[in-house]
Amino acid sequence: MRPNLEALFFLLSLSTITISFKVSYGINICPEIEKEALLNFKKYLKDPSNLLSSWNSAHVNCCNWNGVVCSNKTGRVHQLRLQNYDGFQELGGKLNPSLLNLKHLKYLDLSQNDFEETIPSFIGSLTRLEYLDLSNAGFYGTIPHSIGNLSNLRTLNLEGNSYRSGLDGDSIEWLSGLSQLEQLNMNYVNLSKQDNWLQVINTLPSLVELRFGYCSLSFVAPLKNINNNLSASLAILDLSYNKFRSFAIPSWIFRLASLTFLDLSGNSFEGPIPNISNTTKIQHIDISDNKLNSAIPDWLYTCKDLEFVYFSSSSLHGTISEGIANLTSLKTLSLSWNELSGEIPSEIASLCKLQNLDLSVNKLVGNISDSFGNMSDCFLGALESLDLSENQLSGHPTHQIGEFKSLKTIRLSGNSLYGPIPVNLGNLLSLETLNMASNKLTGNLPESLGQLFNLKFLHVEDNKLEGVVSEIHFANLTNLMDLYASGNNFTLKVSPNWIPPFSLTSLGLGSWNLGFGSTIPQWLDSQKNVWELDLSSTGISGEVPSWMWEIQYLNLSHNHLHGKIPDIINSDLMCLSSNKFSGPLPRVGSDVSDLDLSNNSFSGDISQFLCGIANETTYSLDVLKLEGNRLTGEIPDCWNKWSAIRVLNLGDNDMFGSIPNSIGFLTNMLSLNLQNNKFSGHIPFSLRNCTKLVNVDLAGNELDGKMPAWIGTRLLNLRFLVLRANKLSGEISPDICNLNSLQILDLSNNGISGIIPRCVDNFTAMATKRSFSNQYGGVVYTYYGTGVFAESVSVATKGSESHYDTILPLVTNIDFSNNNLSGDIPKQLTSLVELRSLNLSGNHLTGLIPSNIGGMKQLESLDLSSNSLSGEMPNSFRVMSSLNYLNVSYNKLIGKIPESTQLRGFDSSSFIGNDLCGPPLTSNCISSGGPKNEHDNGSDDHEPSSSEIEWFYVFVSSGYAVGLSIFCTTLILKKSWREAYFEFMEEMWNRVYVYFYIKWRKLTRTSV
């Protein structure tokens, strides 16, 4: 027995030593049941990248398997880390319940995979879980309520994404069971039905992080008392991009004393921002994309830990306080796209940690040197991005701008900066973006810019720069991708064999002198990656090289190019207007969006262009401008294939026939111009379907029939309606007064009868101050890198026709001339105080000129000639200081022309054919007020007008009344005068009495 006892003792000792060694050195073997559980779990997974290749029976210890973490003490599986990091090696398949055999599992991360199934309810039975991350793992459907059983859970991440349908929360009451939860991320989970979400969150006393962004939340229930523990613990709150429309920002948010991160962006919250806040520890705040209509609150400037401020697009107004100097930790300040005004406080330029400053698209004013002329060294060393674009800043760009050490982006475009571009910008060797477009900069382009080897984007377009640009300017710009310099007066001088060091994607040289005999430069052949090219107004001639027709955005307008154009298949936008191209119209591809071939010599009809296509093909063309060519024939009836068109201009051609009914398919159309052709027939009834129309110009055709009443009930967005020089008849419907956006209304040279509608005061756009709505000035339909497609309208005013485009938003005009209108001029017309041109000539109008016509102080042109207006010219004409064209000739006006320097300056022909007198006419007005010709026989049988007599009695009566009142008042107030007056009157009475008594006695004696 002794040998056996010794053998048993040896085995027990060896076992003890082995266990001790494993514990000491962390060598643990997972239990067999857990190993089998993992192998069964793997069976149902899809693993195309073999991430779980180590999960097999040959590897005995599952603790060494990829993604498996075991306890150092027990060898039990504690963690499964199966998240996908790179986005390519995704797991898929199904989750198997064998995970339930991992009784000690505390950490489960399956994020960034692609399981494409609902979350299995058995997850709620892994009761020891403290960390659960199922974010972006392809799960969809309703979140199982069983997750609420995980009472030990501290982190729950169910975040989805925007590009595929994800999880829904039919109820979130189950969250109340997670009493130890600290981090909750449910971004992109659909919680649109959860009106009580806030009350549920208020039951989580340990919550530190709450992310409910993009959850379609639409309601914030009132919360009078927030949980004290939650108020003290919550540090991160993300409610971004929900649907809290018409709600103010909840005040409880600003009572969270531990808050360090707050994101309320994209909710359409309405203001104002609360004036009081306890969030003194805040480090990151984002309330961009809201409708706050608020000033920046003063408490913000006291948050000394603040590092990131995003307040863009929030309808903020007011000024930026000098208190910004307190934010010494600030790294990013974004206040763009607001209504902020005043000057930029110079204290900003002393913030030593500021890396990104974006104040673009506001109404900030002042000299840029006052704000950034004395920048601190630490500010110059820290700043990486400066955006002050689209404000109202002025002054010279400060030369200190060349002293930045880390600056990568400068955007100063859309201001009123003047003077030269600082030469020392060439010192900013980290610079990648320089945008100084749309200012008033002068002088030459500094050669030092050619040293910016990191520069990718250079914008100096639309300034007043001039001079020679040579190869030196581009010497080291090897990374340059975009060069926009159109709208300046540069001359390019490079060698004929020059090969640029860059490979551009966008190039704008509009208005440059390109040299080389005004042909397309040969060096452009090297720019094979260009997809946007502007060579407009450069004076180039010749034919276009074949490779250039493949450019996606091509602007060659206003040159002398000629030849035929090939089919346009691959381009997106092509502007070839004002050249000498000829031949038939090219065919276009289905993806072409903007095509401008106007003012060339294209000929033939447009049937093949529009209708010579397969029946199933539909086109994306957005802008089609073919005006000013030699096109003939009728408009084909196949517009149903071009429903995307927003701008259609076929004006100034030789087309004829009726306007087809299929034009009503263009329901997206904003502008229709068919002027100066030979179209006949009625205005098509189907046009009433084009309710988005802003401009309708059918002038100079042979259209007949009555003016459609539906224009005033259907086309309610109209700003420009031009129907002049047709054969329209009937009356002007009062429905036209519904067009309160109307700026130009031209019905002249037709056969329209009846009266002028009395409701014209509803044209409110003609009564409100006009302004530009964008930096380009005009009514813009399409923006692109090298320019815009803007509206243009021809207006007959001041006796001639003018063409408006850039200043079109400021133009207001009514022209009813040369019709058969009758009745008087409605007084309501004078309420259109911003009207600049009014022409009612050549009608049968009667009655008086409205007496308050002088209230139309913006009126520059007024033509009332060739009517039957009577009475006098109102005296209010004297105050019409803007008037520079006036014609009231050939009416029945009488009396004196009102005296004013403005009226005297007009030619006498503006007043002839009336019974008027006074300057500038040679007929004088006699004292009684009528005209007296110098060659008359001196007859004085002219009777003064009734108005002159009435004014005489008015003045006499007024003088008598004033004198009598002064006399009586003096007698009442001054006793000595009163006594002297009555004494005088008594004496006079006695004398008169005695005189007449003696006379009477003498007469009686004589008679006796």
Side-chain angles (χ1 to χ4, degrees), residues 232-286:
S233 64
L234 195 61
I236 297 174
L237 176 61
D238 182 357
L239 298 177
S240 59
Y241 289 92
N242 282 287
K243 301 177 180 179
F244 299 123
R245 291 173 176 83
S246 301
F247 280 93
I249 297 178
S251 59
W252 59 266
I253 291 177
F254 295 95
R255 297 199 300 267
L256 300 173
S258 297
L259 203 62
T260 60
F261 179 100
L262 175 63
D263 190 348
L264 301 177
S265 59
N267 281 298
S268 296
F269 278 126
E270 296 184 357
I273 303 172
N275 292 325
I276 300 175
S277 174
N278 294 332
T279 57
T280 56
K281 298 179 181 179
I282 194 79
Q283 298 175 11
H284 178 120
I285 182 169
D286 188 346

Side-chain angles (χ1 to χ4, degrees), residues 986-1000:
E986 184 177 7
E987 182 179 352
M988 290 299 296
W989 166 254
N990 290 334
R991 288 184 179 183
V992 171
Y993 174 78
V994 171
Y995 173 79
F996 281 104
Y997 179 78
I998 293 173
K999 287 291 186 181
W1000 178 76

Side-chain angles (χ1 to χ4, degrees), residues 713-745:
T713 58
R714 299 283 296 180
L715 309 185
L716 299 179
N717 294 305
L718 273 182
R719 294 174 62 179
F720 316 106
L721 177 60
V722 183
L723 303 178
R724 71 170 175 272
N726 280 284
K727 299 178 181 179
L728 299 175
S729 59
E731 299 185 356
I732 303 174
S733 170
D735 289 333
I736 202 170
C737 298
N738 294 325
L739 306 179
N740 52 27
S741 297
L742 207 59
Q743 289 178 229
I744 296 176
L745 176 59

Side-chain angles (χ1 to χ4, degrees), residues 3-14:
N4 290 337
L5 288 174
E6 290 178 351
L8 181 61
F9 177 77
F10 174 77
L11 290 174
L12 288 173
S13 300
L14 182 63

Side-chain angles (χ1 to χ4, degrees), residues 348-364:
I348 282 183
S350 298
L351 297 175
C352 292
K353 296 183 179 180
L354 193 62
Q355 298 173 354
N356 301 289
L357 176 60
D358 187 354
L359 305 179
S360 61
V361 197
N362 279 285
K363 296 180 179 179
L364 299 169

Side-chain angles (χ1 to χ4, degrees), residues 227-524:
N227 186 305
N228 289 333
N229 291 331
L230 181 62
S231 176
S233 64
L234 195 61
I236 297 174
L237 176 61
D238 182 357
L239 298 177
S240 59
Y241 289 92
N242 282 287
K243 301 177 180 179
F244 299 123
R245 291 173 176 83
S246 301
F247 280 93
I249 297 178
S251 59
W252 59 266
I253 291 177
F254 295 95
R255 297 199 300 267
L256 300 173
S258 297
L259 203 62
T260 60
F261 179 100
L262 175 63
D263 190 348
L264 301 177
S265 59
N267 281 298
S268 296
F269 278 126
E270 296 184 357
I273 303 172
N275 292 325
I276 300 175
S277 174
N278 294 332
T279 57
T280 56
K281 298 179 181 179
I282 194 79
Q283 298 175 11
H284 178 120
I285 182 169
D286 188 346
I287 57 172
S288 56
D289 295 316
N290 283 289
K291 300 177 181 178
L292 300 176
N293 190 27
S294 172
I296 299 174
D298 290 336
W299 57 260
L300 187 78
Y301 301 112
T302 66
C303 300
K304 295 184 179 181
D305 296 326
L306 203 54
E307 296 181 6
F308 302 94
V309 175
Y310 300 96
F311 279 16
S312 60
S313 300
S314 293
S315 301
L316 298 179
H317 54 77
T319 61
I320 303 173
S321 170
E322 295 175 355
I324 196 83
N326 297 329
L327 306 183
T328 54
S329 300
L330 199 60
K331 294 180 179 178
T332 294
L333 177 61
S334 177
L335 303 176
S336 60
W337 292 90
N338 284 295
E339 300 288 327
L340 296 172
S341 57
E343 297 185 1
I344 301 173
S346 59
E347 286 77 6
I348 282 183
S350 298
L351 297 175
C352 292
K353 296 183 179 180
L354 193 62
Q355 298 173 354
N356 301 289
L357 176 60
D358 187 354
L359 305 179
S360 61
V361 197
N362 279 285
K363 296 180 179 179
L364 299 169
V365 298
N367 194 306
I368 192 170
S369 295
D370 293 340
S371 301
F372 296 94
N374 189 25
M375 295 180 279
S376 67
D377 290 340
C378 58
F379 179 79
L380 291 168
L383 198 67
E384 297 180 2
S385 176
L386 174 64
D387 193 344
L388 306 178
S389 59
E390 306 301 327
N391 280 285
Q392 299 167 20
L393 302 173
S394 59
H396 294 273
T398 171
H399 286 276
Q400 203 179 8
I401 201 171
E403 299 177 13
F404 285 102
K405 300 298 187 295
S406 307
L407 199 62
K408 296 179 180 180
T409 300
I410 302 176
R411 292 189 176 97
L412 303 176
S413 59
N415 284 286
S416 297
L417 304 179
Y418 53 84
I421 297 175
V423 175
N424 62 355
L425 277 176
N427 297 333
L428 304 179
L429 299 182
S430 298
L431 199 63
E432 298 178 0
T433 299
L434 174 60
N435 190 338
M436 306 184 79
S438 302
N439 280 286
K440 300 176 182 179
L441 299 172
T442 56
N444 298 329
L445 191 69
E447 291 183 350
S448 60
L449 296 184
Q451 305 305 313
L452 302 177
F453 54 85
N454 282 310
L455 195 65
K456 297 179 180 178
F457 309 101
L458 175 59
H459 292 252
V460 292
E461 69 269 22
D462 299 323
N463 279 286
K464 299 178 180 180
L465 298 168
E466 58 187 2
V468 173
V469 177
S470 67
E471 297 176 22
I472 299 175
H473 290 84
F474 306 112
N476 292 318
L477 302 186
T478 54
N479 289 304
L480 193 64
M481 298 170 60
D482 291 359
L483 171 59
Y484 291 95
S486 300
N488 290 288
N489 192 25
F490 288 129
T491 297
L492 182 64
K493 287 189 177 181
V494 294
S495 66
N497 299 320
W498 180 54
I499 299 177
F502 46 69
S503 179
L504 298 176
T505 57
S506 299
L507 174 62
L509 302 180
S511 302
W512 282 44
N513 179 353
L514 298 180
F516 301 115
S518 297
T519 58
I520 295 176
Q522 186 176 352
W523 61 265
L524 280 174

